[in-house]
Amino acid sequence: MRLIDQRDFAQNDFLKKLQGNILKGHGRDHTTHVFMHFRVGYEQDARDWIKTLAAENLTSFRQQLKERDLFKKHKTPGNVFCSFYLTPGGYKYLGFGDVEDRFEDAAFNAGMKNRLDINQDPDPQQWEEGLAGDIHAMLLIADDDALKMGKLAKELLVKLEFFAEINTVEYGSAIRNANGDGLEHFGYVDGISQPLFLKDEVDDYVADHGITDLGTAHFDPTADTDLVLIEDPYEAGNNSFGSFFVFRKLEQNVKEFKEAEKNLGLGDLGGAYIVGRFEDGSPVVLTDEEGMINSGGYNNFDYSSDPSGGKCPHFAHVRKTNPRHDFFNGDDHKSHIMARRGIPFGHRNVNTALDPIHAQMPTGGVGLLFMSYQRSIENQFEFIQNAWSNNASFPPIPKPDDTGVDIIIGHPHVTNPPPRNYNFPSDYGADTRTPLTVEQFVTMKGGEYFFAPSIPFLENL
């Protein structure tokens, strides 16, 4: 497997044509997401604006890597990060009527609202209005300086309003613990297990985990770029690539989740069983308490030593969405994994670092802006959501009917949804179980499927 080496000049052309954030997260703490619908009769204005955006504002992966290098060496902050995404409707508006012939992904061509039977999402009438409407494009703006980000966002929005309707603007802000690790609103370190495409990231993984040979590692996170990239169909043969992009707004009821976690009567193990890691990131399959060294980045484990689920239950979120094991002949589980780039949204009056009491926790208005890149929405995002998260019989061992849907993101909106009954280990590592019921505390508020085009495509509109 060939990893990307930023020092390899032969990859320079490829890197400068690819939008940033796909093969490595942009790393900024604040984000602005602008969803838009272009007005009829302003097609040329939209094309001109996108061309200017691509030339002046979009961040190529080469630029992202250069800025990362400067920050690591000299703490030099980078420019405001920008990326741009189109739906099939956006392509058609811009004059590409053959978009459904160019792209083979049925999910992308249909749109998220028309895949309710696959994802088992709530009816779009229950989505937030801005995300339920017809969306042509999304603009992502990000920076560590919220004011700097906001200034550019306003400049671009003022120009956008001439030829586009703004469906909605979503804002994300990172939450961090005392170690600097990113959290989601339930309080758990998030985004640890990611496919790694860069040579220096794999080198760091090997060093951080004390691995001498990746071939003997419990988990090898290395990934080929074709896990998330496809050749831009409108720039074929030009060394130009893009990626399918999924956006979902997931609202979290923190107060009720933490109350349910407490009512399990299992102490810190209750939440660890639900998530698959303790709040600090320590994998519950390896330890019955948090506090591991490198807990917020530890990823060298699998579940081969825990076939019964006595340490990490089969229903645990990280076990269902990344089983680290091939269950079916000819189906490599790693082929379904996505590059996840989510960020929390919503304001909390009491910072998570202060460990707020139950009465201070929000019941809504906060959550995760889930984002992912993949080569195939069907085979990656939708497969994980449908075949794994929403499937009460996955993983299919040892007793398929005892698993249950993913407690965190499993939300089958079907006529007869499976009961949310789960068999928790009676004691850590035990084969005996205690049956408990855990309700749903995450609500999908809307989203859409996009494609992140190559920069040459956008520059040449």
Side-chain angles (χ1 to χ4, degrees):
M1 178 176 296
R2 186 185 180 192
L3 295 166
I4 293 175
D5 186 346
Q6 66 189 56
R7 298 165 297 184
D8 182 2
F9 186 74
Q11 299 193 43
N12 186 65
D13 182 60
F14 160 70
L15 297 176
K16 74 177 183 180
K17 293 178 177 179
L18 181 68
Q19 291 200 62
N21 200 42
I22 301 173
L23 298 181
K24 181 175 176 58
H26 57 68
R28 274 68 167 182
D29 276 357
H30 304 285
T31 60
T32 300
H33 310 256
V34 181
F35 296 85
M36 66 196 76
H37 180 94
F38 300 124
R39 293 194 181 107
V40 175
Y42 292 83
E43 289 80 0
Q44 189 57 52
D45 297 289
R47 285 192 287 267
D48 290 342
W49 179 84
I50 294 171
K51 289 169 64 176
T52 301
L53 177 78
E56 297 181 358
N57 300 108
L58 289 193
T59 306
S60 70
F61 192 43
R62 183 180 70 169
Q63 180 66 23
Q64 180 184 341
L65 291 177
K66 179 180 178 181
E67 292 180 356
R68 181 188 69 148
D69 189 56
L70 288 171
F71 185 81
K72 288 171 68 175
K73 290 179 178 178
H74 310 295
K75 300 301 180 183
T76 304
N79 296 320
V80 178
F81 179 91
C82 286
S83 54
F84 187 74
Y85 313 86
L86 288 168
T87 65
Y91 273 101
K92 292 175 183 177
Y93 175 89
L94 296 172
F96 300 94
D98 61 346
V99 60
E100 291 169 353
D101 296 325
R102 298 281 186 132
F103 291 97
E104 298 180 356
D105 194 284
F108 170 71
N109 288 327
M112 191 178 293
K113 290 188 288 292
N114 295 312
R115 303 290 282 185
L116 301 182
D117 57 333
I118 302 295
N119 298 323
Q120 300 176 31
D121 285 333
D123 190 286
Q125 292 184 357
Q126 301 175 34
W127 296 11
E128 291 185 357
E129 183 179 356
L131 293 172
D134 193 10
I135 298 170
H136 283 159
M138 190 195 94
L139 171 65
L140 168 62
I141 309 165
D143 201 80
D144 284 333
D145 186 331
L147 290 176
K148 187 177 171 184
M149 173 190 70
K151 180 180 178 181
L152 179 59
K154 182 177 180 180
E155 291 175 1
L156 295 174
L157 280 165
V158 167
K159 297 176 182 177
L160 265 175
E161 287 184 325
F162 177 71
F163 57 86
E165 299 286 346
I166 306 302
N167 293 61
T168 186
V169 182
E170 302 289 342
Y171 301 94
S173 290
I175 308 171
R176 300 194 182 278
N177 61 17
N179 298 325
D181 301 314
L183 307 177
E184 48 73 49
H185 277 286
F186 290 151
Y188 291 80
V189 174
D190 194 27
I192 301 176
S193 181
Q194 296 280 10
L196 302 182
F197 305 98
L198 302 178
K199 181 180 182 301
D200 65 343
E201 285 192 304
V202 174
D203 291 342
D204 289 343
Y205 177 85
V206 169
D208 290 345
H209 292 81
I211 300 168
T212 56
D213 180 6
L214 274 174
T216 62
H218 292 291
F219 183 72
D220 180 359
T222 58
D224 204 289
T225 56
D226 64 6
L227 180 71
V228 295
L229 298 184
I230 67 167
E231 188 175 40
D232 190 322
Y234 290 103
E235 289 286 332
N238 193 28
N239 202 25
S240 298
F241 292 82
S243 182
F244 289 111
F245 177 79
V246 173
F247 178 94
R248 287 161 78 81
K249 185 175 184 180
L250 305 176
E251 186 179 55
Q252 295 173 260
N253 187 332
V254 179
K255 180 184 286 188
E256 295 306 316
F257 175 84
K258 301 308 281 188
E259 182 71 11
E261 192 180 60
K262 178 182 177 181
N263 290 339
L264 291 174
L266 300 172
D268 290 343
L269 272 171
Y273 286 150
I274 291 174
V275 176
R277 293 181 184 264
F278 287 89
E279 288 189 353
D280 72 346
S282 299
V284 71
V285 73
L286 299 181
T287 177
D288 63 351
E289 61 181 4
E290 64 179 8
M292 278 182 57
I293 295 174
N294 189 30
S295 59
Y298 197 86
N299 201 31
N300 184 31
F301 65 92
D302 58 25
Y303 303 105
S304 59
S305 64
D306 185 37
S308 71
K311 295 179 179 179
C312 182
H314 295 104
F315 57 72
H317 173 62
V318 302
R319 191 162 186 172
K320 282 187 73 78
T321 57
N322 187 5
R324 301 168 188 251
H325 177 68
D326 303 332
F327 287 95
F328 308 104
N329 292 333
D331 187 18
D332 174 9
H333 88 274
K334 288 181 71 174
S335 67
H336 302 296
I337 302 304
M338 308 165 287
R340 292 168 290 114
R341 304 288 183 250
I343 190 169
F345 74 85
H347 173 71
R348 294 182 67 152
N349 292 319
V350 180
N351 193 293
T352 54
L354 296 176
D355 193 19
I357 65 170
H358 182 66
Q360 295 175 303
M361 296 176 183
T363 57
V366 302
L368 183 73
L369 301 180
F370 172 89
M371 290 167 279
S372 67
Y373 295 94
Q374 49 268 298
R375 179 184 183 86
S376 167
I377 296 174
E378 292 180 277
N379 189 54
Q380 289 167 273
F381 167 74
E382 288 191 342
F383 184 93
I384 291 174
Q385 186 68 47
N386 182 41
W388 290 354
S389 292
N390 287 338
N391 183 358
S393 298
F394 181 84
I397 56 174
K399 298 178 181 179
D401 293 335
D402 284 352
T403 305
V405 301
D406 185 335
I407 296 180
I408 302 296
I409 64 168
H411 58 217
H413 287 76
V414 293
T415 303
N416 295 303
R420 299 185 66 88
N421 302 324
Y422 301 90
N423 292 313
F424 285 77
S426 301
D427 292 296
Y428 181 73
D431 289 335
T432 55
R433 298 290 184 267
T434 299
L436 297 166
T437 299
V438 184
E439 298 302 326
Q440 174 69 35
F441 302 109
V442 176
T443 304
M444 196 282 214
K445 307 296 286 186
E448 190 53 280
Y449 295 149
F450 299 85
F451 187 72
S454 66
I455 292 177
F457 168 78
L458 298 172
E459 289 179 332
N460 296 327
L461 277 175

